[in-house]
Amino acid sequence: VTSSRPLRPADVTRQVALGTLDLSPDGRLVVYSRRTTTRDADRTALWLVPYAGGRARPLTAGTCTDTAPRFAPDGSRIAFLSDRVGGVPQLHVIAVDGGEATGLTAFGRGVAGFDWHPDGRRLVVVAEDDRSPWLVGERPDGLPTARTIARIDWRLDGAGLVLHPAHLHVVPLGGGAPRRLTAGEWSASRPAVSPDGVTVAFLTDTDPRADLRRGQAIHTVPIAGGDVVEMPGTPRPVDRFAYEPDGGIVALGHDVAVLRDQDPQRLFRIDRDGVRRCLTAATDRSFGVGATYSDLFDWNVGMVDAGRITQLADGGRATPVRVGDDGFEVLVAAERDPVVPAIAAAGGRVVAVASVDRRPPEVVAIEDGDVRPLTREARWLAPFVWPVITTVEVAGPAGPITTFVLSPPGSADVPRATILDLHGGPTDQWNPLPMVDALLLVAAGYRVAMPNIRGSIDRGSAWVGELAGRWGDADAADCHAVCDHLVDAGLADPARLGVLGLSYGGFLVNWLVGTTDRFAAAVSENGVTNQVSDWANSDCGVVYCDAGGLGDPTTPAGVELLWRQSPLRNVAAVRTPILLLQGEADLRCPPADNEQLFVALRALGREVSYVLYPEGTHVFASTGRPDRRIDRHERVLAWFDRLMPA
Amino acid sequence: VRIGPDIVAREALIDEVAISADGSLVAYSRRVVVDGAHVRDLWTVPWSGGRSRRLTAGRSVDHSPAFAPDGATVAFLSDRDGGVDQVWLVAVGGGEPRRLTAFQGGVTGLAWRGDGRAVAVTAHDREVGSGPPLVRVIERLDWRDDDTFGLMDRPTHVHVVSLAGRARRLTAGSWFASAPRFLADGRVAFLADPDGDGGRAPVPAVHAVRSRDDAPVRVVATTGPVTAFAVGVAGAIVTLAPAAPEPPDDDPWQVAIDGTTVPGQEDRFAVVLSADGGAAVVADHGREPVFLVAADGLVPVLPDAAAPPTVDAVAAAGTRVAAVATFGTGYAEVYALEPGRVPRRLTTHGAAWFRRNDQPRVSELEVAGPAGPILTWVLSPPDAGDEPRATVLAIHGGPVWHWGPAPELGIQLLVQAGYRVALPNGRGSYGFGRQWIAALAGAWGDVDAADCHAVCDHLVGAGLVDPARLGVFGRSYGGFLTNWLLATSDRFAAGVAEASVANQVSCFGNSDCGYSYNPAAGLGVATTPSGVDLLWRQSPLRHVADLRTPLLLLQGEADLRCPTGDVEQLFVALRRLGRDVEYVLYPEGGHAYHREGRPDRRADRHRRLVGWFERHMPV
């Protein structure tokens, strides 16, 4: 046993981050994606590990990004996406028992998703068209003459400009040209082939005003080619779905005309004849969404499930559950604090990428309510101090606020320099598993408090709904309650209280410093300062502001509501030194918003630093170029260290 | 012959000029399109008249010609080797250019020493990287500038370079020097604000150094930001600047010699000062007359009878002046000017492309406005009579600017397409006295809109405009007013707003100069509740629900003056409301992309500008 040392920013190059996984049809072999990091780049490889236990071994070289593995129906091969050639993801297949991967596609703009046909001889892929109906003078080796924008969904954070429709194609396994299944000025996603092999289901919204709502629904097209039709009984909007063996579908989504933040995501069953039933109506929690937050997982992978075996967001946990026709069964007890972003099932077995007992994630088998680790991928953390994580239920103005408090081991219950760390969303939740940020702050000697304040999805729709149209009100009150509690309990030094947050968390940091002087230092990352302009500047502003009840600037009352919830309104009162971190390519909370706060603070002569990360998207802190992540971590630590040393 | 947007491929643009010290020879650069890209070559022409002779002929951008004191050599900037500007020298008598400098970051300005044995330059400190940096740490307000994007990463400083190519640095620091000029005592003077921003806009002043060991010292007392300066006859320091450090819009830019304002400018704006300090252009009443600069007053160079001049550049040697000018409507050529003489056209580049078309008819109207007469130029197709026609009201930018009768190419193409175009100089325009500008301060959307309506009413009343086919177009501030007019009136059949303004509150932070310009123009500050009220009151977005006119929004993606983050607010709101709106983005386009952008983009922009009106209000 080597003596442990504090984690430092440069140690992110040691990180192994688990992403997605799949289980062979016979339930004997697990394939999972594994991201590693050098200073220059992240790389993702696919690894295999037997369900029965044994050594994990690499399947793909992982020189670039190999991801989205799916076993063929007969289990002999794995299809996956890799950007190893040409820098855009293409569909590849590799034999499980050895040999090199073969590329199956050469779409100019890459492949975004796929599914196996049950005959195992072809796959259905979704790929962007080569030509855009909205670009003028498109040229392969340079920027076009003009981009004509007629809809508000022309950009998406992480993807950049989305001006090429994405459509379905059938790709033969044995080689040969893909056959196009769909076309038009709309985009398809998440293809799934029916068990009888006749139909391809996918998500889209072909309405000419689809850009103004969140309305993706299940559509179908015959695999032989034909008309696209909306599936009778589909809920709307749908996040993802899966076929069941009888040809029916289970879908995660909503059944509402206008989505609100407080509407929990539910699981629906749609029979072949179009009869729909909500399977989770009795549970006031979200299923299969927003339940995992820690970037100890690979954030490049969204949540992955296996139809009825999915996640339940509750109390900060992402609990694996099996949903039946009448209720659901918890697969890992809540006392174990499961956080499970990816689940796969086959042959009666369930495997997952999971954290339990507030320990770093592994690939696990879920058996009889317990987990059995199949990997030892958390070894990279072994040399470093792991924080003490306690759960505090703080009495808040509207109810208990579950707060995870991270402390350096051996630190007594004495007042320490403490950072209030605020999650994004706001419809999200802290897990009992920390972020890399929090690990670094604890390693530097800080206590870190991660509260699930009103707006978080950890305790049901009413808790979320409390925040609707009340940003800066309910949430700020909860933050003060948490700080008061930590100070009163003798855990936080009131003179060395700092605040940190990303996205909505950045909004709240901006708001707090404009309404209180209790914080000694603040770091706001990709936050929000002017809701009026951000309504249009954010890639999802129009749709999101509807969902969050924030307002709409096309009416005077809407402007007033948006402005009332804008931190910029209080800028003259800001006295707390603030570090503004901003990804230059962030389309969710873009520089155009954050720079308004910088310019105003600088014009007022306040202590402010505005740090731009080129190419940085909304979550560059976790997914950006590693040298930029390291620089960012160093600046966060230095900011707090200078203004409120631990 | 009528020309259309494709004319961009044949355009020859002249916009800079120099003259030899003895006044015998004129040099200018000409921009043309080769293989889809803009290139510039240098030409000379005798001031007394004669054939234009090509001095350089690369596929490069050759510009900023400067005669050596003996007139035998021209120094210029060119990107012909390595893609960044360096100083090159070419003999007037013939021979190939040779490169003088090798600054990795590129040269931004140059001037000859009196003995002709060295040049002073300003150059970027660092080279342009191949990719973006790891991080940009912003701690000043002036980190970006639409005219010089990326500058904040790369300060510009003064160096002296001998004709043997030996370079000696004279200044250093995290600030920007421009306009290098030798003083008679051998020191190098330049424009800079070395003290940093201090939370305000830079206030450049004339400084000088002898060697790198010196701190820069002020050499002339100025209070406002100096935008141009020259070392004139007998070493006089000639500056062009407004009076106040944070000048309000009506504070006129004026020519001063050694800190004393030259008499005769009244309260007019001097809009051009020659690099030699010998000539200036002072805008007046929709015209841009040229003057010789002398301590006892300005000396007019143009006869009163000349057609209304529009002047882009001047150079002077004694009483001999060379100017890039347009008289009446049309496109610019180089002219020789001298007091008391009729202007002589020296070049014929325009004949090769622009003069082939049928020239529009120009009329000058004084429209009775709510606060006084509004000088309005009306351009009509040559075949148009005085009948009610489909008409476009075109609003100039600034707002502190003006219309002459020779507007930008896109507007001339509207006339070619058969539209009447009205070019009003409403309140806010310069050339009509301070009061005419001051009236607009803090009253955007109020007095200016009233003036526009007065002009429209007058033209309709005079039977010149078909009221059912009245459109409006503007760029920059003119785009603001276009958005405003459409949101507060339904009289227009179509609108085109380019690089415009929608939300003044966010623009305070989003525009490169919003933090300084907005308070100076009385628009307000985003840091106080009353300031926000004032900014919002002057924001077209406030009235978006009432905007029902089809609107085309043209926008350069790299515009830092009126950025996408602002204009897209109007687009998104109109789309949400289901209105007829189109938002067209031009990649890499700065605020002046309609003039400086890639030729295919300029042609596309002209096509859409004309096409939008043709679709919604055909001729």
Side-chain angles (χ1 to χ4, degrees), chain A residues 145 147 149 584 592 602, chain B residues 136 197 510 557 575 583 600:
Chain A
T145 300
R147 313 184 213 272
I149 312 295
E584 273 185 359
R602 175 73 187 150
Chain B
R136 303 185 221 269
D197 80 332
N510 291 157
E557 272 184 2
R575 168 74 183 153
Y583 180 41
D600 59 322

Side-chain angles (χ1 to χ4, degrees), chain A residues 197-323:
Chain A
V198 172
T199 304
V200 182
F202 60 96
L203 296 181
T204 190
D205 184 357
T206 59
D207 190 280
R209 288 176 66 79
D211 55 321
L212 297 164
R213 64 177 187 178
R214 212 177 284 172
Q216 288 206 117
I218 303 168
H219 289 63
T220 58
V221 63
I223 195 149
D227 292 340
V228 169
V229 296
E230 186 177 302
M231 185 191 184
T234 178
R236 185 192 297 275
V238 173
D239 184 68
R240 56 191 194 268
F241 68 95
Y243 272 108
E244 300 218 88
D246 70 349
I249 278 179
V250 289
L252 280 163
H254 297 83
D255 181 23
V256 293
V258 178
L259 191 63
R260 298 172 309 161
D261 266 357
Q262 58 266 40
D263 297 329
Q265 179 158 290
R266 302 190 189 278
L267 192 69
F268 296 88
R269 153 83 193 189
I270 307 102
D271 295 340
R272 295 185 64 168
D273 58 6
V275 174
R276 177 177 72 227
R277 220 152 51 80
C278 180
L279 303 179
T280 60
T283 307
D284 182 30
R285 293 289 188 278
S286 271
F287 286 79
V289 68
T292 64
Y293 203 86
S294 172
D295 59 357
L296 289 176
F297 300 109
D298 177 3
W299 268 24
N300 289 301
V301 180
M303 298 189 72
V304 175
D305 63 15
R308 287 171 181 259
I309 301 177
T310 185
Q311 302 93 344
L312 168 70
D314 178 47
R317 296 171 288 266
T319 305
V321 293
R322 178 184 282 113
V323 180

Side-chain angles (χ1 to χ4, degrees), chain A residues 136 143-145 147 149 155 208-209 211 533 537 542 546 552 584 592 595 602 610-612 614 628, chain B residues 133-136 138-139 144 197 506 510 557 565 568-569 572 575-576 583 585-586 598 600-601 608:
Chain A
V136 180
L143 293 166
T145 300
R147 313 184 213 272
I149 312 295
R155 53 188 174 177
R209 288 176 66 79
D211 55 321
S533 48
N537 291 157
V542 173
D546 281 348
D552 174 338
E584 273 185 359
E595 71 194 21
R602 175 73 187 150
Y610 181 43
V611 178
L612 288 163
R628 296 196 170 111
Chain B
L134 186 144
V135 61
R136 303 185 221 269
I138 314 295
E139 291 180 331
R144 54 186 175 177
D197 80 332
S506 47
N510 291 157
E557 272 184 2
E568 71 193 23
Q569 295 180 47
V572 171
R575 168 74 183 153
R576 162 75 160 228
Y583 180 41
L585 289 165
Y586 292 100
R598 213 169 66 185
D600 59 322
R601 297 190 176 122
R608 285 176 195 280

